[in-house]
Amino acid sequence: AAVTATAGAWPVDSQGTYAHLGCTWLGRLVQAGLRGDPRTLFFSAAGDARDYDYAAVVSDTMAWAVDLDDVINALVVAREDVLMVLCDHMIYQFTGDPAAGGKQDVVDKAIGAAWDAWCIGPGNIIYFYGNVGGIWALAPGGAPPRRISQQIEERLNNSVNLNDSKVSLAWNHAHQCLEVWVTPYEPLENGVKYLWEERTNAWWPEEYSRKEHAPLSVAIIDGPSSDDRFVLVGGRDGYI
């Protein structure tokens, strides 16, 4: 069934496609990634995720929409008051509520991120696969990202074709390392996992013994007990 708004119109493009990216931030539902409108950020009204009335009486809680200069590829809540927007060739930082005097800054005009290929590690550091290749680390606050994958750059970038591969990242708190998966959509091709240990700045690759185990999705579980802290990996075979 179609999603309906309590006020205004739910974000949808001319083909009837809904947003493919979303997060909650400062009491708002933030959406992006419409195929027919890939550069627009849609903020619901504060406290009502279904209110998109942009013509409402001006207030600090009203719905808000922002047109950016680049295609949006990821939404990352870096801190309670900071939303990082990773685009195809740019990075934006939103600080504070946009309807209540918040700021919108361009962090980088040359480096962007692949589609939804990111994770957050200790210290709110954002790790992502870049539009120019390589793995990058970005600290909220306005400083540009820094490349951390120089040691494996040739092998990593040779294994990634974003037209036919999925790149996934996760920070493994138990092993204190960044994990990067490159999984071809073609089931006959094997995937590769790269691990980066921050303490030694060391990278090493791993290949799967069975091609169907290469993941197309990953998720961090960080429960209260030691048995509840792990990385869930969803393989191409449909198993977790």
Side-chain angles (χ1 to χ4, degrees):
V3 181
T4 58
T6 56
W10 192 270
V12 61
D13 65 19
S14 58
Q15 285 79 44
T17 302
Y18 293 98
H20 289 75
L21 300 171
C23 66
T24 56
W25 182 58
L26 296 178
R28 300 174 182 270
L29 176 61
V30 186
Q31 301 186 60
L34 276 71
R35 290 196 181 106
D37 193 1
R39 299 170 182 255
T40 303
L41 271 177
F42 301 92
F43 297 85
S44 75
D48 188 348
R50 297 173 64 188
D51 181 345
Y52 292 89
D53 185 1
Y54 305 117
V57 175
V58 176
S59 71
D60 291 350
T61 62
M62 67 180 294
W64 198 266
V66 180
D67 293 324
L68 302 181
D69 294 330
D70 198 8
V71 173
I72 300 168
N73 282 342
L75 304 176
V76 185
V77 179
R79 294 199 304 259
E80 181 180 359
D81 64 335
V82 174
L83 174 66
M84 305 300 297
V85 181
L86 310 183
C87 297
D88 223 14
H89 302 90
M90 301 176 68
I91 298 174
Y92 289 86
Q93 176 173 309
F94 287 80
T95 306
D97 196 305
K103 294 195 307 175
Q104 172 187 327
D105 298 301
V106 175
V107 174
D108 202 296
K109 290 186 176 181
I111 303 301
W115 176 266
D116 211 24
W118 64 275
C119 72
I120 290 185
N124 294 326
I125 303 298
I126 302 165
Y127 298 95
F128 63 91
Y129 185 81
N131 64 311
V132 294
I135 303 299
W136 298 75
L138 174 64
R146 60 183 179 88
R147 191 190 295 261
I148 63 171
S149 56
Q150 289 91 336
Q151 300 97 315
I152 59 163
E153 203 76 6
E154 183 175 358
R155 177 167 183 171
L156 171 66
N157 292 331
N158 285 342
S159 68
V160 176
N161 182 336
L162 294 174
N163 291 320
D164 56 27
S165 299
K166 168 67 175 175
V167 180
S168 306
L169 292 82
W171 184 270
N172 190 320
H173 291 276
H175 297 158
Q176 300 182 49
C177 69
L178 174 68
E179 300 184 7
V180 181
W181 293 265
V182 180
T183 302
Y185 296 124
E186 169 55 58
L188 297 180
E189 297 182 19
N190 202 1
V192 182
K193 180 171 77 170
Y194 300 91
L195 296 96
W196 176 63
E197 186 182 59
E198 182 182 26
R199 293 168 296 183
T200 59
N201 191 29
W203 284 92
W204 64 93
E206 296 180 353
E207 291 191 359
Y208 286 86
S209 59
R210 301 186 61 174
K211 298 175 183 178
E212 63 269 26
H213 291 169
L216 290 173
S217 61
V218 299
I220 299 294
I221 304 298
D222 53 358
S225 71
S226 59
D227 293 336
D228 294 330
R229 303 183 195 120
F230 47 82
V231 179
L232 287 178
V233 178
R236 287 188 296 199
D237 55 2
Y239 288 90
I240 298 176

